[in-house]
Amino acid sequence: MERLKALEIFKAVADHGSFTKAADAAHVGVPSVSRAVQDLETLLGVQLFNRTTRKVTLTPVGHTVLEHAAGVLDCYEDLARVSNDIALDVSGDLRLEVPALFGMSRLAPILANFTREHPKVRVDTRLVDHQGETLGDLADLSIVVGRAAPASCVARQLAATRFGMYASPAFLSGAGMPRHPDDVRPEHCMTVIAGSHDATLALTHAVTGERSALRARSAFRTNCPSALISATLDGLGMAVLPESIARLSESRGELVRVLNDWRAPSLDTLLVYRTRRNLPLRVRKLIDCLVASFGDDEAGSLSPLRMPPNVPAVAHIKAHAHGARWAA
């Protein structure tokens, strides 16, 4: 940039025939103009101006350098103009990485609305397991669950990922409805957040503060929430699942939430990207969209109890009185 500035000052001196007038045009002091011209002459190894007490004129080689300098400055202006047009246009490709634990059910409607609002943006969403890098080389943005963002990246908080305990009606008809975590047999307990065959999940009672735990020792193990839901629907056992992923099956009556008064620790959910500076407008727009949408999602998770379809009001009131919790 210093060399580009020197070319701009050199051209200003040539255009105005004066170091003083060039300084005024470039908004710098006369000593800065003189130094820039001297540095450029030293760099090129030629004399650019003939200087007298009354005027400054280009040397023959100065005329040649001016032609090339003008071409360089014009190219830079074209580049700046094109870059500015691109930066201000909400268009182009955008890649977003999403962990399976977060799930697409809560994200897909947001991305669909975003692409409808910005039809020239193409959003490539990839499911990842984040066992390696938190933000892949080709990704513009990454959603991270339960992991810290690299120090070199920017992280924005999204709605926390919360968990619940679920089972199929068929399984509960045989095993019974658990009233306490101790009622859940370890061999019937599955969890997608298990890092080992024998995982223990701490629980806290929402009212009394009592602490307990679920021990997941099922023979079925997976880090894929959809596979765990399938196993739960098939009656293999009870599963600890992200609420957002289990919500659809629960609303259909395919899964039943159990141990409603017990809370598992939620996991921090972050939106990660590399820098705040010079982000394309399409990326900035999606960042704002996701942060705003999941801010609403956070608020929605605290909304009043709502009655599911086809449930009589009396039944709803009784369920509320007994501390039951319907799916939102």
Side-chain angles (χ1 to χ4, degrees):
M1 292 303 293
E2 291 181 359
R3 293 183 180 180
L4 190 63
K5 186 63 176 179
L7 290 178
E8 290 177 343
I9 291 174
F10 161 64
K11 186 176 183 300
V13 174
D15 290 343
H16 294 281
S18 166
F19 277 51
T20 302
K21 291 180 180 179
D24 291 340
H27 305 290
V28 296
V30 174
S32 296
V33 172
S34 179
R35 185 167 55 252
V37 171
Q38 290 176 6
D39 290 345
L40 187 58
E41 288 179 329
T42 300
L43 177 66
L44 299 178
V46 296
Q47 183 178 340
L48 298 173
F49 293 104
N50 292 315
R51 302 167 178 84
T52 70
T53 55
R54 291 184 298 176
K55 64 179 179 178
V56 177
T57 59
L58 284 166
T59 63
V61 70
H63 282 286
T64 302
V65 172
L66 179 60
E67 291 178 7
H68 290 283
V72 171
L73 294 173
D74 286 344
C75 287
Y76 176 75
E77 289 180 0
D78 288 342
L79 175 62
R81 184 165 52 253
V82 170
S83 299
N84 185 65
D85 290 344
I86 292 173
L88 296 178
D89 187 23
V90 188
S91 64
D93 296 330
L94 194 159
R95 183 159 178 167
L96 172 65
E97 293 182 343
V98 183
L101 194 59
F102 186 80
M104 287 298 296
S105 59
R106 63 197 302 194
L107 184 63
I110 297 171
L111 295 181
N113 288 333
F114 179 81
T115 54
R116 276 193 290 266
E117 184 177 351
H118 305 290
K120 293 193 289 184
V121 177
R122 295 175 296 275
V123 182
D124 180 0
T125 307
R126 300 296 179 96
L127 286 176
V128 296
D129 59 12
H130 282 154
Q131 295 302 311
E133 295 182 85
T134 299
L135 185 62
D137 291 339
L138 299 178
D140 296 289
L141 301 168
S142 180
I143 292 176
V144 178
V145 176
R147 292 185 61 181
S152 59
C153 292
V154 180
R156 301 283 299 275
Q157 187 77 39
L158 300 180
T161 298
R162 296 179 172 82
F163 296 86
M165 187 73 175
Y166 300 87
S168 69
F171 178 84
L172 292 175
S173 67
M177 176 68 75
R179 302 298 176 186
H180 191 278
D182 291 345
D183 297 337
V184 180
R185 295 171 58 181
E187 62 270 24
H188 289 165
C189 184
M190 304 175 287
T191 173
V192 75
I193 58 176
S196 63
H197 184 66
D198 185 359
T200 301
L201 185 68
L203 298 177
T204 303
H205 196 279
V207 178
T208 66
E210 178 189 354
R211 296 181 182 275
S212 187
L214 285 173
R215 285 167 290 280
R217 297 178 183 173
S218 170
F220 182 79
R221 301 171 58 197
T222 179
N223 66 348
C224 176
S226 60
L228 194 58
I229 286 179
S230 295
T232 310
L233 293 175
D234 285 342
L236 191 59
M238 301 182 185
V240 180
L241 294 164
E243 291 179 352
S244 59
I245 295 177
R247 186 172 294 141
L248 179 60
S249 295
E250 185 183 9
S251 68
R252 293 171 174 170
E254 299 168 342
L255 291 179
V256 176
R257 181 154 183 175
V258 301
L259 300 176
N260 294 316
D261 293 330
W262 293 86
R263 301 290 181 263
S266 60
L267 295 181
D268 286 340
T269 305
L270 305 175
L271 180 64
V272 178
Y273 48 102
R274 290 184 178 83
T275 179
R276 296 183 190 275
R277 297 183 57 192
N278 300 324
L279 280 172
L281 187 56
R282 63 182 179 276
V283 178
R284 297 203 307 269
K285 288 287 188 180
L286 184 55
I287 290 171
D288 292 343
C289 174
L290 292 174
V291 171
S293 297
F294 287 109
D296 293 341
D297 185 59
E298 183 79 18
S301 68
L302 301 176
S303 60
L305 187 69
R306 285 175 291 190
M307 185 169 58
N310 303 321
V311 176
V314 173
H316 172 66
I317 293 171
K318 289 181 178 179
H320 196 179
H322 287 84
R325 183 178 182 276
W326 299 113

